[in-house]
Amino acid sequence: MEKYVYIALFAPLAASLFAALFSLGKKSVFVGIVNSSLICFSAISSLILLFNGERLHVTLGEWISAGDFSVPFGFVVDEVSVVMMATVGIVSTLVHVYSIYYMGHDKGFNRYFSYLSAFVFSMFVLVMSDNFLGLFIGWEGVGLCSWMLIGFWYHKDSASWAANEAFIINRIADLGMLIGIFVIYWQIGSLQYSTVFALASSLDNMTIIIIGILLFIGAMGKSAQFPLHTWLADAMEGPTPVSALIHAATMVTAGVYLVIRANPLFSLIPSVGFFIASLGAFVAIFAALMALVNNDLKRIIAYSTLSQLGYMFVAAGLGAYWIALFHLMTHAFFKSLLFLGAGNVMHAMHDELNIKKMGGMYKAMKYTAILMIIASVALAGIWPFAGFFSKDKILEVALNEHSYILFTALWIGAGLTAFYSFRLICLVFFGEKKYEKLHIHPHEASFLAIASMIPLGILAIVSGGLFEHEFDKFVTSLLPHYKFALEHFLVIMMISATSAIALFGIGFAIYIYIINGGFSKELEKNFFYKLLFNQYYIPKFYADYVARPFERLAEFSWKRIDEKIIDATVDMIANMMKYGGEKIRGMQSGNLSAMLRWMVFGLALLLTAAIFYGA
């Protein structure tokens, strides 16, 4: 089975290098086909490893060896990593296939596939590494590739700005994670998961708390948790298939994966775990409220991702690690489906993103509409779709832990999720055909695009109920088994209440946007509406009170310190040397008598110095 480990890991790297060879040439569909095939090989290998169920640990060789410090090129396939491998493999394969259609007319077609495959390779390194340093290399790899993909259309200032924002915010968070890794080695003397987790309980509580907080700071940046969240929505500047991959199954879920993988550490510090859960519940509401009023097709789905990441952190923070992983998996399928559907709509609308300029597109894009409705129902958590089984399980965990405030926040979030999901569906596919005013004639996407979305649609329906019990049994052989102590009656009441608020959210959206024709224009003048529409003015706060002061400090340092002091000092020394050189250049005249006089003068100086020091 070891060969499948190598295929799963290195096929995406081979795909990236293959596309890179053609990146300076003319775009070729052949590049897309080869890359998609290699990513498919990786996905199939991951699925073979998943169904085989055998734990594998391979070491390719020594990586870093300095004194007692030793880190190998080691990779592990266990119940957690193989679930991530399979999820990433399936979604990335379908995104690659879809990209052949979506990027078909872009002159950077070959370069795009090189970046996209490198992104998948970095994610595989992240989830398969058997040590924290290897994880960090993959962590930085997805950060670099996301920068290249978000800023893919670098000629657009907005794309370059968004790429830089994502990169810088993640670097800030990654510093915390890197310090946490240093502390782990300092206290334990190893970065291997097996050694660290075995010896974690021997550390004092404060040290474990420090390590947990520092690692979670890294997770906050990668998974865009408040206050390091602003980059996620702005990252929509990249091509839509990139959004489907980054915001569904890979980069943004890496933070959740880190907490799940390091569960032996976080299980020892329940206070930090409760903080993680509390922040997750806050973000679930925080992001859902922004999605309520946003009119950008992709940003609404991005805020939804941010909200669902909050749900995952609630489960992980409360110790239900397998449930967090379960929701991560199901969410990857229906969220990537939503993004790909958004890509179809964008193509049909000539890249228009304002959902208030759409409407009535159901007949023209029936297949896209049906698939996006399936994804939205799954996101809303309606039985028997996938979201019902994974998201409701998180609410059940909150209730089981007697965390009633967290439960209430998640319950309200479920209603908001249903409402904004179907607000999008109603404004895009039903009602008045507002796109006619723009002289646009929408059309269905190609067969290739729809074919790549159908498997995600099927998984959005069946991956919850069909896999739940087997998933629980499989991953809890490595992760802690979460014990529920709720009475059956309370579980039924909780499920009923959650389903009721989700159905109410859907019904209310249909009533407002189809029957009633939308809210009054007066609503947009409301302070609360403006607050949400402007993202709580947090980006403005960062711009005015973080970015601009830093810019002024940088300008002061440049003009007053660098130019006036550092450069001036260096220039002064250089000028003195130049002046001195010009003055003593006459010594080298070539005149014999002059040279003899200088020799006598020098000899006299040496004798004087010898007499002086000798005395």
Side-chain angles (χ1 to χ4, degrees):
M1 299 302 291
E2 194 172 309
K3 65 180 179 181
Y4 294 112
V5 178
Y6 300 133
I7 294 172
L9 178 61
F10 292 114
L13 177 60
S16 177
L17 294 175
F18 176 81
L21 291 174
F22 295 90
S23 61
L24 298 179
K26 293 182 179 180
K27 65 183 180 67
S28 171
V29 176
F30 178 68
V31 171
I33 294 171
V34 170
N35 271 51
S36 300
S37 299
L38 287 168
I39 299 297
C40 184
F41 292 155
S42 178
I44 291 171
S45 297
S46 299
L47 288 170
I48 291 171
L49 293 167
L50 173 66
F51 292 123
N52 179 63
E54 180 184 352
R55 291 184 189 177
L56 297 170
H57 190 186
V58 298
T59 301
L60 301 183
E62 198 65 30
W63 176 21
I64 300 174
S65 183
D68 294 333
F69 180 63
S70 177
V71 180
F73 277 115
F75 300 94
V76 63
V77 175
D78 57 23
E79 290 79 358
V80 172
S81 63
V82 78
V83 167
M84 289 294 295
M85 289 164 61
T87 304
V88 172
I90 291 169
V91 173
S92 57
T93 297
L94 297 171
V95 167
H96 271 73
V97 173
Y98 179 89
S99 296
I100 297 174
Y101 150 75
Y102 192 86
M103 300 297 290
H105 301 291
D106 197 288
K107 62 181 181 181
F109 184 87
N110 300 350
R111 177 169 59 90
Y112 167 84
F113 273 94
S114 179
Y115 293 170
L116 196 67
S117 299
F119 185 92
V120 177
F121 169 68
S122 298
M123 190 65 190
F124 269 93
V125 171
L126 191 159
V127 301
M128 293 177 68
S129 289
D130 67 351
N131 61 84
F132 281 100
L133 194 57
L135 176 143
F136 188 74
I137 295 300
W139 193 274
E140 294 303 295
V142 295
L144 172 63
C145 293
S146 69
W147 176 76
M148 295 190 293
L149 288 165
I150 294 167
F152 180 76
W153 291 310
Y154 53 84
H155 55 276
K156 293 169 56 181
D157 289 340
S158 57
S160 295
W161 188 90
N164 290 337
E165 180 192 21
F167 193 81
I168 291 167
I169 289 178
N170 275 276
R171 295 297 72 71
I172 293 168
D174 292 353
L175 176 61
M177 180 179 173
L178 190 59
I179 295 172
I181 292 173
F182 286 153
V183 175
I184 289 172
Y185 179 73
W186 177 34
Q187 293 294 318
I188 295 179
S190 175
L191 296 177
Q192 294 294 118
Y193 292 149
S194 55
T195 305
V196 172
F197 299 153
L199 298 177
S201 59
S202 64
L203 302 177
D204 65 88
N205 192 59
M206 184 52 66
T207 301
I208 303 174
I209 288 174
I210 291 170
I211 291 171
I213 291 172
L214 289 169
L215 292 180
F216 182 63
I217 289 172
M220 286 171 63
K222 200 64 76 183
S223 293
Q225 295 296 284
F226 176 86
L228 305 176
H229 66 282
T230 54
W231 70 267
L232 187 69
D234 293 333
M236 296 300 104
E237 288 290 338
T240 303
V242 171
S243 303
L245 193 57
I246 290 179
H247 301 108
T250 54
M251 180 172 165
V252 297
T253 62
V256 180
Y257 170 79
L258 173 62
V259 176
I260 294 170
R261 172 57 74 184
N263 72 86
L265 283 171
F266 286 99
S267 296
L268 298 171
I269 42 176
S271 57
V272 175
F274 186 75
F275 169 78
I276 293 171
S278 300
L279 181 63
F282 168 76
V283 171
I285 292 284
F286 173 83
L289 288 171
M290 289 190 286
L292 289 179
V293 301
N294 204 283
N295 298 320
D296 186 296
L297 176 63
K298 289 172 67 178
R299 282 177 178 261
I300 293 170
I301 304 173
Y303 288 133
S304 171
T305 298
L306 183 54
S307 181
Q308 296 306 305
L309 288 166
Y311 278 83
M312 296 174 208
F313 276 117
V314 170
L318 295 177
Y321 300 103
W322 81 263
I323 295 173
L325 185 62
F326 185 45
H327 190 51
L328 187 158
M329 180 192 74
T330 60
H331 172 263
F333 300 137
F334 53 73
K335 185 54 59 66
S336 55
L337 178 59
L338 275 174
F339 272 116
L340 297 185
N344 291 354
V345 173
M346 282 181 64
H347 262 202
M349 289 292 296
H350 301 171
D351 292 334
E352 176 60 59
L353 284 166
N354 191 336
I355 60 175
K356 289 193 171 182
K357 295 181 180 180
M358 300 178 189
M361 297 175 68
Y362 180 82
K363 287 186 178 179
M365 305 185 69
K366 185 177 293 185
Y367 296 116
T368 296
I370 291 171
L371 287 166
M372 288 190 73
I373 290 170
I374 289 172
S376 298
V377 173
L379 175 61
I382 304 300
W383 186 88
F385 293 78
F388 171 84
F389 296 93
S390 59
K391 194 163 73 172
D392 276 24
K393 212 74 176 172
I394 297 173
L395 276 84
E396 190 177 344
V397 169
L399 195 62
N400 189 64
E401 294 293 323
H402 306 295
S403 300
Y404 301 117
I405 295 177
L406 299 187
F407 172 81
T408 304
L410 297 180
W411 181 74
I412 294 171
L416 296 176
T417 300
F419 178 79
Y420 70 65
S421 298
F422 276 82
R423 170 180 177 263
L424 184 152
I425 294 295
C426 293
L427 288 175
V428 172
F429 294 110
F430 301 98
E432 181 187 352
K433 298 178 180 179
K434 296 177 183 177
Y435 58 81
E436 291 179 342
K437 298 175 184 177
L438 303 175
H439 305 290
I440 293 174
H441 304 286
H443 55 84
E444 185 59 272
S446 73
F447 171 78
L448 184 65
I450 299 300
S452 62
M453 293 168 66
I454 288 174
L456 293 172
I458 294 170
L459 288 168
I461 298 171
V462 306
S463 63
L466 192 63
F467 300 153
E468 179 185 355
H469 297 298
E470 288 300 320
F471 187 93
D472 179 7
K473 183 179 177 181
F474 179 70
V475 299
T476 52
S477 58
L478 178 66
L479 297 176
H481 183 75
Y482 185 81
K483 186 177 180 181
F484 286 99
L486 291 174
E487 294 181 8
H488 186 66
F489 171 75
L490 283 176
V491 176
I492 297 297
M493 289 293 292
M494 185 276 299
I495 292 173
S496 300
T498 307
S499 298
I501 197 170
L503 290 170
F504 175 77
I506 293 171
F508 190 53
I510 292 171
Y511 170 76
I512 292 294
Y513 293 103
I514 295 182
I515 300 174
N516 198 48
F519 284 108
S520 167
K521 288 283 185 181
E522 293 296 316
L523 179 67
E524 296 181 8
K525 300 177 182 178
N526 183 280
F527 168 77
F528 189 59
Y529 181 95
K530 290 180 179 179
L531 181 70
L532 297 178
F533 189 80
N534 290 285
Q535 305 173 60
Y536 306 95
Y537 296 99
I538 293 173
K540 180 176 174 56
F541 173 83
Y542 285 165
D544 292 345
Y545 298 104
V546 178
R548 285 200 183 96
F550 186 82
E551 185 179 0
R552 292 192 193 103
L553 176 63
E555 187 175 359
F556 174 82
S557 300
W558 163 40
K559 291 186 175 180
R560 300 296 180 183
I561 298 176
D562 191 40
E563 287 188 348
K564 299 294 185 183
I565 299 176
I566 299 174
D567 284 356
T569 302
V570 172
D571 290 344
M572 181 182 68
I573 295 170
N575 289 331
M576 288 175 61
M577 298 298 292
K578 180 181 178 183
Y579 177 79
E582 288 176 348
K583 291 301 180 183
I584 64 175
R585 186 168 55 189
M587 293 171 58
Q588 301 292 332
S589 63
N591 186 285
L592 181 60
S593 61
M595 298 296 287
L596 287 170
R597 286 195 295 271
W598 281 114
M599 288 174 65
V600 171
F601 177 72
L603 181 61
L605 283 178
L606 287 172
L607 289 171
T608 303
I611 293 168
F612 177 78
Y613 285 107

